[in-house]
Amino acid sequence: MPSAIQRKALIHEAFGLCVLLPKTHWRRAPEPGGSARVLLNGAEVEVTVRSEECDCRGTGAHEHRFLALPAGVAGPGETLTVEV
């Protein structure tokens, strides 16, 4: 069953327009590199799961996962409803 979350659209230097996927939703999406169809503001779109290692907390490397979005579906900073 889909679960809606509110996320802001970001521009990531490596893979462009995306939204950060909370760890609580990782099991709902494919592994990094995989693609899926999700609802974005009620419209079905194809996304790709991307990941990066990070040490943003200064406590050691961990992973962030993003849903890379097709160009033109949103603008940076726009709040989106995402159903994974």
Side-chain angles (χ1 to χ4, degrees):
M1 176 179 291
S3 179
I5 53 175
Q6 298 285 310
R7 307 306 289 170
K8 282 196 178 185
L10 311 167
I11 295 292
H12 190 283
E13 63 185 39
F15 40 82
L17 188 66
C18 64
V19 293
L20 180 63
L21 186 63
K23 193 169 187 172
T24 56
H25 283 66
W26 286 10
R27 72 182 196 291
R28 298 177 181 272
E31 290 294 313
S35 63
R37 298 194 71 72
V38 301
L39 291 179
L40 185 66
N41 288 347
E44 192 173 290
V45 297
E46 183 86 16
V47 299
T48 304
V49 179
R50 302 289 186 198
S51 69
E52 71 177 357
E53 280 197 21
C54 183
D55 185 20
C56 60
R57 294 183 209 127
T59 58
H62 59 274
E63 182 180 22
H64 290 283
R65 290 188 187 179
F66 301 85
L67 299 178
L69 306 174
V73 299
E78 185 177 337
T79 299
L80 306 169
T81 299
V82 181
E83 293 182 61
V84 181

